[in-house]
């Protein structure tokens, strides 16, 4: 099982589906303001889609005993403030 944390990068993600980065990208491209809930000090762990692809490749190659299940958190390990993301957009 893979648990993906806030994935961003090129691809078919849409803000309509609740993706933070894609939604803000859509809003910024259309000239709309970005909505920040709370004080913006909340953080997310941003993971680039290329890192997710590499993680999937590695997990697919990892040995697993019959009947076993493993859980992997796929993340960068770095927390980024929502306000910082808004400023970058």
């Amino acid at each position: 099982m893979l648990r993906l944390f806030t994935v961003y990068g090129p691809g078919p993600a849409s803000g309509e589906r609740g993706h933070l980065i894609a939604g803000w990208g859509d809003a910024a491209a259309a000239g709309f303001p970005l909505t920040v809930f709370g004080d913006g000090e909340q953080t997310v762990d941003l993971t680039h889609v290329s890192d997710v692809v590499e993680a999937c490749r590695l997990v697919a190659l990892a040995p697993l005993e019959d009947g076993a299940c493993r859980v992997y958190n796929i993340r960068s390990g770095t927390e980024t403030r929502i306000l910082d993301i808004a400023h970058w957009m």
Side-chain angles (χ1 to χ4, degrees):
M1 177 188 309
L2 303 178
R3 293 191 288 204
L4 309 179
F5 286 64
T6 314
V7 179
Y8 72 97
S14 165
E16 294 175 13
R17 293 183 26 209
H19 295 280
L20 169 69
I21 303 301
W24 277 7
D26 293 346
F32 296 126
L34 305 181
T35 301
V36 175
F37 295 99
D39 62 5
E41 292 295 321
Q42 310 90 313
T43 62
V44 293
D45 188 309
L46 298 173
T47 310
H48 193 269
V49 67
S50 63
D51 293 323
V52 172
V53 170
E54 178 64 5
C56 289
R57 186 185 74 76
L58 292 172
V59 168
L61 296 174
L64 186 65
E65 302 79 28
D66 287 343
C69 178
R70 292 194 183 144
V71 178
Y72 297 93
N73 291 327
I74 309 303
R75 60 193 191 98
S76 69
T78 301
E79 296 293 320
T80 303
R81 290 181 331 142
I82 295 294
L83 280 179
D84 291 334
I85 299 168
H87 288 295
W88 297 337
M89 293 278 179

